Amino acid sequence: MDDPWACHTEHREADGSLRLPLGGFCVRSGDRTVLVDAGVGAFDDGKYAGGDLLSSLAAHGIGPADVTDVVFTHLHFDHIGWATHDGVAVFPEATYRAHRADWEYFVTGENAQPGAIEKLTPLGTRVELFDADFTVAPGIDALHVPGHTPGSTVYVVSSAGRRAVLLGDVVHSVVQFSERDWEVIWDVDPAAASAVRNRIADEAADTHDLLVAAHFPGMRFGRIIAADGNRRFVAA
């Protein structure tokens, strides 16, 4: 059987594996410091390894108490890891926001995940659930894009006519911009996820919009270039 990755070898490690970063993004807007996703947390099982998010923030002069808002693209374990630690909110001054559909799917529904329950229920009244698109802070807008999970949300950062789109797990690998039909095993609704991914990529193609996803190499932003019906991601 032909290897479908044969024409994408530059994206794989020498052993053929695909390395995926685990992290989040921090955006300042006026007096607000907004953290988009909270990484995997202080966790290392040999396959998934975290623990550096707080030190990364500190390197930019941001302490846990400086974060005013924590917003989630979705509630998979590798995006909520630093929401709490040992049952205590890591960002003590922050309001935490998640889409209601994801909260019901991962935390309170009949198939809720124990890890999500453990991480998120200690937040108590710090959590605000949303079920419609809204503005988080000036220049930061939340858009619901269900597919990867029921409540998957992207965050559009805009200023002076320019836009950057924080995609969460709408895309896992830059290869998915080139391979329109490629899916990942973690999509709750693969067909909806594929439709959303292709719509966003087609809308961004040949514009100045910058895109980034939580697991892109180096978590680098880039643009979509289209030619002859093909798309590719070019890191900025």
Side-chain angles (χ1 to χ4, degrees), residues 156-208:
V156 180
V157 180
S158 56
S159 177
R162 297 293 304 276
R163 302 195 330 153
V165 186
L166 311 182
L167 294 170
D169 281 5
V170 167
V171 186
H172 284 76
S173 168
V174 298
V175 171
Q176 288 178 285
F177 287 131
S178 302
E179 302 286 352
R180 288 178 174 269
D181 299 328
W182 283 23
E183 301 171 350
V184 296
I185 60 173
W186 304 292
D187 287 339
V188 173
D189 185 337
S194 181
V196 162
R197 179 166 51 251
N198 283 306
R199 174 176 61 80
I200 290 174
D202 286 338
E203 290 175 352
D206 296 326
T207 72
H208 292 292

Side-chain angles (χ1 to χ4, degrees), residues 203-220:
E203 290 175 352
D206 296 326
T207 72
H208 292 292
D209 287 357
L210 294 175
L211 305 181
V212 69
H215 303 299
F216 279 7
M219 299 178 69
R220 291 181 62 186

Side-chain angles (χ1 to χ4, degrees), residues 25-36 56-64 66-69 136-140 157-159 166:
F25 296 89
C26 192
V27 184
R28 287 190 170 111
S29 174
D31 61 356
R32 305 272 288 280
T33 300
V34 181
L35 183 64
V36 181
S56 295
L57 289 171
H60 292 279
I62 301 169
D66 298 321
V67 176
T68 59
D69 306 81
V136 179
I140 308 174
V157 180
S158 56
S159 177
L166 311 182

Side-chain angles (χ1 to χ4, degrees), residues 28-156:
R28 287 190 170 111
S29 174
D31 61 356
R32 305 272 288 280
T33 300
V34 181
L35 183 64
V36 181
D37 286 337
V40 74
F43 179 83
D44 186 347
D45 67 354
K47 183 178 181 181
Y48 300 98
D52 293 334
L53 184 111
L54 297 186
S55 59
S56 295
L57 289 171
H60 292 279
I62 301 169
D66 298 321
V67 176
T68 59
D69 306 81
V70 178
V71 295
F72 297 110
T73 61
H74 64 293
L75 300 182
H76 277 149
F77 82 98
D78 53 327
H79 295 256
I80 62 173
W82 283 110
T84 62
H85 184 67
D86 291 337
V88 177
V90 171
F91 304 99
E93 303 301 322
T95 298
Y96 291 72
R97 294 183 174 87
H99 197 284
R100 186 179 303 277
D102 255 29
W103 191 269
E104 293 174 350
Y105 186 86
F106 288 100
V107 182
T108 62
E110 59 181 24
N111 296 311
Q113 298 185 1
I117 295 171
E118 179 183 2
K119 276 289 178 184
L120 297 173
T121 54
L123 293 173
T125 58
R126 291 188 177 279
V127 175
E128 290 187 2
L129 303 181
F130 59 89
D131 51 20
D133 297 347
F134 73 105
T135 297
V136 179
I140 308 174
D141 294 295
L143 305 178
H144 184 210
V145 289
H148 178 60
T149 66
S152 282
T153 301
V154 301
Y155 294 89
V156 180

